[in-house]
Amino acid sequence: MEGSGIGQFIPLILIFVIFYFFLIRPQQKKVKEHKAMVEGLKRGDKVVTSGGITGRVERLIDNDKVEVEIAENIKVEIVKATGIQSLLNNSPEVKK
């Protein structure tokens, strides 16, 4: 009877393992990469905010905010952790 009791938990354990490798682990990796990107922000970086607005980092305010210029002479303060979605490539333009 004990063997059948353990056998009933094997599908639950398999489901947990599948959830871990396909959902939990990739999400943790994405959060870690975003945190590293946000901590590495510097003046002049082009960023996309969580609202979809692109701009250039003008200055870092404390450890949790940045000032982003979204248009000429228009600057906004954004919370780094939640307001910055991604970093745009700062690759130089190719001159032809």
Side-chain angles (χ1 to χ4, degrees):
M1 291 296 252
E2 288 184 30
S4 64
I6 294 173
Q8 292 176 350
F9 287 108
I10 291 176
L12 290 174
I13 293 169
L14 282 173
I15 290 172
F16 179 75
V17 169
I18 289 170
F19 269 94
Y20 178 77
F21 282 107
F22 287 112
L23 295 174
I24 298 169
R25 191 168 174 223
Q27 184 64 29
Q28 288 175 341
K29 184 178 179 185
K30 186 184 276 190
V31 167
K32 186 177 178 181
E33 289 172 355
H34 182 263
K35 185 177 179 181
M37 182 268 304
V38 167
E39 288 177 355
L41 283 177
K42 60 188 180 297
R43 188 171 190 255
D45 284 345
K46 292 183 180 179
V47 295
V48 178
T49 67
S50 58
I53 299 172
T54 59
R56 190 177 77 241
V57 175
E58 283 296 310
R59 69 183 176 125
L60 303 173
I61 304 170
D62 301 325
N63 287 332
D64 61 339
K65 293 182 185 177
V66 291
E67 186 175 87
V68 177
E69 183 176 36
I70 58 175
E72 190 173 327
N73 295 325
I74 299 176
K75 298 175 184 176
V76 294
E77 284 184 18
I78 299 176
V79 176
K80 280 188 197 180
T82 58
I84 303 295
Q85 181 178 1
S86 63
L87 182 65
L88 297 176
N89 291 337
N90 288 336
S91 59
E93 294 181 15
V94 178
K95 295 182 181 179
K96 293 183 180 182

